[in-house]
Structures are given as structure tokens and as C-alpha cells.
Amino acid sequence: MNPIQALIDPTMVEKAHRLSRITQSIRSRLPSFLAQHCWVSKIVDKQLFITTDNADACNQIRYYQHEILKQVNEEFTKILGHSVTRLRLRIDCRMSELNPQSTYRPTSYDK
């Protein structure tokens, strides 16, 4: 029987690791109440796609878009082979299933 690694395309594994590293980098710069609600889902046509698990977090992350783009370009342009010029945000409520602590309730003292 073949090991599972033999069945998975190595380029897909590398892509998943790359997206995971970018996600962790972005999360390290976001406030903790937002960090657990975002995942880099893909990079297509110089656009960075971040998925959030609720609309509140999505709106808050939008305020950080310029800092996120600057950070990703500084850290990952060589790895990606190009810079990213646009941030796209998506909401997928199913992502909260991956994060059982996902009960985002913004308050005035979060900022």
C-alpha cells in the first residue's frame, strides 16, 4: 500500500504550506480578536484572497488591508514570484467549524 504522500501532488502540498505561512504571518500582525478569524485561501492574478468566518471580522479586517498587502509584499514577493496588488475578502461560515473558539463579538475596547 502506498503512503498518502505518494498520492498527493507535491506542488499542492507546497502551495498549502505557502498559504499557511502567509496566513500565520498576517495573523501575527492582526489583533488577537481578529487573527483567529482569517485564512489565506488563494492568490490568483496578483490578488490575495482572505476568507473569514463571519461578516464582523470581514469588515474589521478590511481596515487592515493596506498593512496586509504591504506586509505580504515585503515578506513573500520572492517566494510568490510577484507582488500582490489587491486584497479580496470572502465570508464562509463553515470556516468557524475549524475554529470552535470562533465567537467574535466586537466591543469598543477591542481596538
Side-chain angles (χ1 to χ4, degrees):
M1 180 177 246
N2 290 335
I4 190 80
Q5 290 84 1
L7 302 173
I8 300 173
D9 182 3
T11 58
M12 294 297 287
V13 173
E14 175 56 35
K15 183 177 177 182
H17 284 135
R18 187 178 326 123
L19 294 178
S20 178
R21 286 194 311 260
I22 296 170
T23 297
Q24 292 306 315
S25 177
I26 291 170
R27 285 179 171 183
S28 72
R29 302 265 177 108
L30 289 174
S32 61
F33 68 94
L34 284 178
Q36 64 184 350
H37 299 281
C38 73
W39 297 266
V40 174
S41 53
K42 63 182 176 178
I43 299 173
V44 178
D45 297 329
K46 298 186 177 186
Q47 297 180 73
L48 175 70
F49 288 80
I50 294 179
T51 301
T52 65
D53 58 1
N54 65 64
D56 292 332
C58 182
N59 286 330
Q60 290 293 319
I61 290 170
R62 191 176 314 280
Y63 292 114
Y64 293 92
Q65 66 183 335
H66 296 293
E67 290 85 358
I68 290 170
L69 288 173
K70 181 179 177 184
Q71 173 189 354
V72 169
N73 285 327
E74 287 174 356
E75 292 184 36
F76 298 102
T77 298
K78 286 186 180 180
I79 294 170
L80 296 172
H82 58 79
S83 61
V84 291
T85 57
R86 186 170 181 190
L87 178 67
R88 305 289 302 261
L89 294 166
R90 293 181 170 182
I91 302 167
D92 186 346
C93 297
R94 295 173 295 174
M95 296 302 282
S96 62
E97 296 171 7
L98 299 175
N99 185 9
Q101 299 172 341
S102 181
T103 55
Y104 177 71
R105 301 285 184 263
T107 60
S108 60
Y109 59 84
D110 282 338
K111 297 177 185 173

